[in-house]
Amino acid sequence: MNRIFFILFFLIGAILCSAQNHIVKDIDSLYKEDQFYAGVTYNLIGKQPEKLSQRGFSLGFHLGFIKDMPINKKRNIAIGVGLGYSANSFNQNLLIRKEDTGDFVYSIVENNNTYSKNKFSNHLIEVPIEFRWRTSTPTDYDFWRIYAGFKVGYVLTNTAKYKGDLGRFKYNDNNDFENFQYGLTLTAGYNTWNIHFYYALNSIFSKDADLNGEDIDINAIKIGLMFYIL
């Protein structure tokens, strides 16, 4: 399923950018840029405790709209504020199990051969805020861009799944996950291909989650591609 989404996002991005390049527009001295975005990322876990490791391909998919607000006469510098949706998965060896009391306990599965699936995932509504620089003009649609900013997201749902020697279980009621995620973003590139980077400033888990008596202070790092269209 992840591979299908990965391919679809690349196709959507290529189609959108190709459409943008072939649209003939009247010269607009008050033009704006890059107000819709679609992206795909490879998700990493930062600040990993001892023996925690990732396994498999952890993907993120991102869609949204950003209001582009130029702040200079040339309109190549702007502020962007938007609203988006993000779906993310993290394949790793942190086992999440629910006890009979309703509490969740965490442990490291050291032997990767004992399970075929172990991941947690989330879906977020996000608000990106960007400072935008580009080399665009009213008639030039192929340009360099550097967008740096901040993003805050609210987690709509989170899910933990396991399939292996211990059985098969799935949880979507774990309150140990942080409801809010926020971090720094940087997108840079030329025309269609833009590298996107996100570094979370807070932990994926709240202080209620602990591993061997210590907080699970891991954060999300996302690296991938971002596509834009007007």
Side-chain angles (χ1 to χ4, degrees), residues 75-214:
R75 305 182 75 79
N76 67 328
I77 298 176
I79 300 295
V81 180
L83 182 66
Y85 163 79
S86 178
N88 303 275
S89 65
F90 298 86
N91 294 282
Q92 32 64 51
N93 64 342
L94 177 67
L95 178 65
I96 302 175
R97 294 200 69 179
K98 189 176 185 179
E99 296 186 321
D100 294 337
T101 60
D103 296 327
F104 286 90
V105 294
Y106 304 85
S107 60
I108 297 295
V109 182
E110 298 187 29
N111 186 353
N112 291 334
N113 295 322
T114 61
Y115 65 91
S116 59
K117 176 183 291 186
N118 188 60
K119 70 176 184 178
F120 58 80
S121 57
N122 58 34
H123 296 261
L124 303 92
I125 293 295
E126 297 183 320
V127 177
I129 302 171
E130 297 178 342
F131 178 80
R132 301 174 140 201
W133 172 88
R134 61 228 176 187
T135 61
S136 63
T137 69
T139 58
D140 184 7
Y141 312 126
D142 299 337
F143 54 86
W144 292 96
R145 59 172 67 79
I146 300 176
Y147 298 162
F150 179 83
K151 182 185 293 184
V152 59
Y154 179 77
V155 179
L156 298 174
T157 62
N158 64 73
T159 304
K161 294 181 180 180
Y162 172 88
K163 181 180 180 182
D165 290 357
L166 299 175
R168 185 173 184 173
F169 40 85
K170 172 182 176 181
Y171 308 113
N172 54 18
D173 58 345
N174 189 347
N175 293 324
D176 290 346
F177 286 92
E178 281 284 4
N179 290 328
F180 286 93
Q181 291 288 300
Y182 53 87
L184 303 176
T185 62
L186 179 65
T187 304
Y190 179 78
N191 194 19
T192 301
W193 303 102
N194 302 278
I195 301 298
H196 178 74
F197 177 78
Y198 168 85
Y199 184 86
L201 297 177
N202 69 325
S203 175
I204 295 174
F205 290 94
S206 70
K207 297 295 183 181
D208 294 329
D210 69 86
L211 176 65
N212 300 323
E214 297 185 359

Side-chain angles (χ1 to χ4, degrees), residues 24-29 138-139 141:
V24 177
K25 300 187 296 184
D26 295 330
I27 296 177
D28 182 6
S29 61
T139 58
Y141 312 126

